[in-house]
Amino acid sequence: MLTDLHIAVIGGDARQLEVIRKLIQLDAKTSLIGFDQLDHGFTGATKYQINELDFSDVDAIILPVPGTNHEGQVDTIFSNEKVILTEEMIKQTPEHCTIYSGISNDYLNELVKNTNRSLVQLFERDDVAIYNSIPTVEGTIMLVIQHTDFTIHGANISVLGLGRVGMSVARSFAALGANVKVGARKSEHLARITEMGLEPFHLSDLDKAISDSDICINTIPYPILNAGVLANIPTHALIIDLASKPGGTDFRYAEKRGIKAILAPGLPGIVAPKTAGKIVANVIVTLLQEAAEEREEKK
Ligand code: NAP
């Protein structure tokens, strides 16, 4: 249980509703900022404007997946309030107050450095990334079906990268009957691809490897599908770029060659916000409980 903990949930989209639900269920004192237009009642939580909240007893602050923008503004799809998280606010919190966010940026990094508070980047965690790869794959399958006139079954698919997303993507498309090859640069990744029953290729051979691809799915956040490489892919091919913005594809050149290339960020929040919210909620709750137990032990 999270009884006696005061958690401020600041901004976010439908995913955050699962976090709020879980916090209330576990009896945390829950303050909501940026939710004034939310129809859902959430008895057990109190809505505030950011300037009304007393930060002095806030044990944890939960930000949405993107955190803040470079000016400290937090996205609030359930409010028109302009919510900006400032150093002054964080300085009022108890020293143990921890900020939870999906990812970070220079603004958030500076904020926690200058206020000597901890920041947990949930999406850096393996467990979150692996769970999140499940809705990511489903979203990718959806996009492939929408943007092709042939079946996945029997299609030649190249997956770039064998990280948390790449492995789930490769395995799922293979299970649907596609001929999947996977490109990586580490010998242990090439070994794993072979063990999975898929065709491995070294990324240094990418231009040759994709020359027969019907679909290319990139998970590498680096400009890997550059013009030189794209010159070798068939023009009927579909590219789905899952890597974080700006992706790894030269979209200008792809368009010039008439190749359909789609940058597809944030698929879990689009295709399965409830599941994506639960993934984040479960991890946050575990971390909050661990932190509270640690504080108790130190007392
Ligand atoms: P990950 O586990 O870190 O995997 C990244 C992969 O890219 C690894 O195989 C890594 O290989 C490879 N890589 C990185 N830099 C490279 C380079 N310069 N050259 C060659 N290979 C390189 O990351 P992940 O969790 O799978 O996520 C992959 C990307 O998808 C991230 O950008 C993430 O933000 C994004 N993502 C998107 C969605 C969506 O909805 N579109 C959802 C979840 C995640 P090495 O081990 O050799 O470095």
Side-chain angles (χ1 to χ4, degrees):
M1 297 298 281
L2 299 175
T3 314
D4 296 336
L5 286 189
H6 181 190
I7 318 288
V9 181
I10 304 184
D13 54 24
R15 284 174 281 187
Q16 225 57 336
L17 305 184
E18 292 302 319
V19 177
I20 297 168
R21 214 165 268 140
K22 192 97 190 180
L23 292 175
I24 294 171
Q25 186 194 337
L26 293 174
D27 197 30
K29 178 181 168 191
T30 309
S31 299
L32 309 180
I33 290 118
F35 290 91
D36 50 280
Q37 289 174 2
L38 179 68
D39 289 338
H40 196 299
F42 278 129
T43 43
T46 313
K47 293 176 186 169
Y48 293 98
Q49 302 271 308
I50 192 140
N51 293 324
E52 293 168 356
L53 182 71
D54 176 7
F55 281 85
S56 66
D57 69 343
V58 171
D59 297 293
I61 292 172
I62 300 179
L63 297 176
V65 170
T68 68
N69 72 7
H70 291 284
E71 282 81 45
Q73 190 170 345
V74 183
D75 273 352
T76 55
I77 68 154
F78 298 111
S79 172
N80 290 328
E81 184 192 350
K82 189 171 181 187
V83 173
I84 296 181
L85 192 67
T86 64
E87 274 185 32
E88 287 62 41
M89 292 167 186
I90 303 302
K91 277 180 185 156
Q92 292 169 37
T93 61
E95 274 176 20
H96 66 259
C97 178
T98 302
I99 301 174
Y100 296 86
S101 171
I103 54 173
S104 189
N105 58 16
D106 289 348
Y107 183 91
L108 260 186
N109 292 341
E110 275 295 298
L111 181 108
V112 291
K113 193 172 139 213
N114 295 342
T115 55
N116 204 18
R117 298 293 185 274
S118 321
L119 172 71
V120 176
Q121 294 183 54
L122 296 163
F123 278 29
E124 280 203 341
R125 294 174 56 97
D126 268 345
D127 51 2
V128 174
I130 292 169
Y131 284 129
N132 232 359
S133 74
I134 301 167
T136 306
V137 167
E138 292 191 12
T140 309
I141 294 170
M142 175 190 79
L143 286 174
V144 166
I145 292 172
Q146 281 172 344
H147 292 279
T148 53
D149 56 5
F150 50 86
T151 57
I152 292 171
H153 187 276
N156 290 333
I157 301 189
S158 313
V159 176
L160 310 187
L162 192 77
R164 286 127 350 153
V165 175
M167 186 177 287
S168 303
V169 166
R171 188 185 287 122
S172 303
F173 278 91
L176 288 171
N179 306 313
V180 176
K181 45 174 122 166
V182 187
R185 60 180 173 178
K186 288 185 179 148
S187 64
E188 62 265 36
H189 284 173
L190 298 172
R192 178 61 67 194
I193 296 160
T194 309
E195 177 276 328
M196 290 167 73
L198 308 175
E199 188 184 331
F201 68 88
H202 196 281
L203 285 170
S204 57
D205 296 326
L206 179 56
D207 46 358
K208 272 184 244 107
I210 62 166
S211 62
D212 64 350
S213 292
D214 302 309
I215 297 163
C216 179
I217 301 169
N218 177 46
T219 73
I220 299 177
Y222 173 81
I224 190 107
L225 288 169
N226 53 39
V229 171
L230 289 177
N232 297 286
I233 197 167
T235 48
H236 76 269
L238 169 70
I239 296 170
I240 306 281
D241 199 334
L242 299 176
S244 50
K245 281 180 188 168
T249 307
D250 184 337
F251 289 96
R252 183 203 62 81
Y253 182 75
E255 191 180 355
K256 194 170 175 188
R257 272 204 73 209
I259 299 163
K260 195 184 278 180
I262 299 167
L263 183 62
L267 288 175
I270 295 168
V271 298
K274 200 174 176 74
T275 308
K278 280 187 176 162
I279 292 167
V280 172
N282 288 339
V283 175
I284 287 181
V285 161
T286 307
L287 294 176
L288 287 171
Q289 277 167 334
E290 282 172 6
E293 280 164 19
E294 242 173 63
R295 278 201 303 281
E296 272 305 307
E297 276 168 21
K298 276 189 195 155
K299 269 186 192 169

